[in-house]
Amino acid sequence: GEVVWKRDVYRTLDLKKEKNASLYYPVEPQGENMNLFTYIFKLVVAGDIPAYMYNLDGNESFVAENRVSPKEMLDDYGIYYEEKNGTLMVDQSDIPSGLVLSYYIKESNFFDQRTATYNRRVTAICPVLHKSGDFTTEVVKYPMFWLNFDEISPALNNQKVMSSSYNNVSTMTLNDY
């Protein structure tokens, strides 16, 4: 297609809103069901998907030198892990999925001249940890890392989410969501 117009928009996805709750629950995995953060966190720690540095200007750059080492990421956030034969092991209860209350999302909006349509697609996603400080109840937000949506969408196709809290039968893949 011939893209004649493109605009990138950064948004915050607030998991405390009912409509986004299916990305937050279950906080503790139940069998195959786990929330979005637990799922991507495990993939990042295992080295199955690359995570990229969250730069202070907020812009993402998916180049090799911006890749985050899983071990450094765990150290930076004080997440407890053990290392066995070069494999990082993080206990389920140490994954801070209850504290990831929002995501930064980068969306590209573009006009495709060939089809004369406006399209919108997510191109990057960044989990944000919400921690209260030691001496204050003020919540500080820590954007953890950027993920390139194209690099994670195959994995998101393998994981189901409950798309409704009223109807647990209705599931879709994370990618569809």
Side-chain angles (χ1 to χ4, degrees), residues 9 35 46 54 66 87 89 105 109 118 125 160:
V9 183
N35 70 13
Y54 182 89
N66 268 341
T87 304
M89 317 282 281
I105 285 184
N109 297 291
Y118 282 98
I125 179 169
K160 299 269 186 259

Side-chain angles (χ1 to χ4, degrees), residues 27 39 46 56-57 59 68 70 98 114-115 136 158 160 165-166 174:
V27 178
Y39 187 64
L56 289 176
D57 64 5
N59 292 330
V68 171
R114 195 175 46 83
T115 55
T136 163
N158 299 330
K160 299 269 186 259
S165 48
Y166 307 111
L174 279 171

Side-chain angles (χ1 to χ4, degrees), residues 42 54-55 80 84-86 107-108 123 145 148-149 153 163:
K42 287 177 169 213
Y54 182 89
N55 297 320
Y80 181 75
K84 293 189 180 128
N85 311 327
E107 257 178 14
S108 286
T123 54
F145 45 76
N148 181 338
F149 204 77
S153 64
S163 45

Side-chain angles (χ1 to χ4, degrees), residues 6 15 20 22 29 54 58 78 81 101 110 127 139 144 171 176-177:
K6 177 174 176 274
L15 298 191
N20 298 326
S22 47
Y54 182 89
Y81 62 92
L101 294 173
F110 53 93
V139 172
M144 295 182 72
T171 59
D176 295 336
Y177 186 91

Side-chain angles (χ1 to χ4, degrees), residues 15-59:
L15 298 191
K16 295 187 294 274
K17 293 197 172 134
E18 167 73 31
K19 64 173 190 217
N20 298 326
S22 47
L23 295 180
Y24 183 69
Y25 295 103
V27 178
E28 289 276 315
Q30 298 159 352
E32 290 294 293
N33 285 330
M34 57 185 84
N35 70 13
L36 175 60
F37 179 71
T38 302
Y39 187 64
I40 58 183
F41 178 85
K42 287 177 169 213
L43 292 171
V44 166
V45 169
D48 293 338
I49 55 174
Y52 300 89
M53 231 178 300
Y54 182 89
N55 297 320
L56 289 176
D57 64 5
N59 292 330

Side-chain angles (χ1 to χ4, degrees), residues 47-102:
D48 293 338
I49 55 174
Y52 300 89
M53 231 178 300
Y54 182 89
N55 297 320
L56 289 176
D57 64 5
N59 292 330
E60 72 299 328
S61 162
F62 299 131
V63 293
E65 58 263 26
N66 268 341
R67 275 188 73 159
V68 171
S69 118
K71 196 172 172 168
E72 278 175 33
M73 183 268 296
L74 295 171
D75 288 336
D76 286 349
Y77 291 100
I79 297 167
Y80 181 75
Y81 62 92
E82 286 174 10
E83 209 169 342
K84 293 189 180 128
N85 311 327
T87 304
L88 300 170
M89 317 282 281
V90 178
D91 196 86
Q92 206 62 67
S93 58
D94 291 316
I95 299 175
S97 66
L99 298 175
V100 174
L101 294 173
S102 60

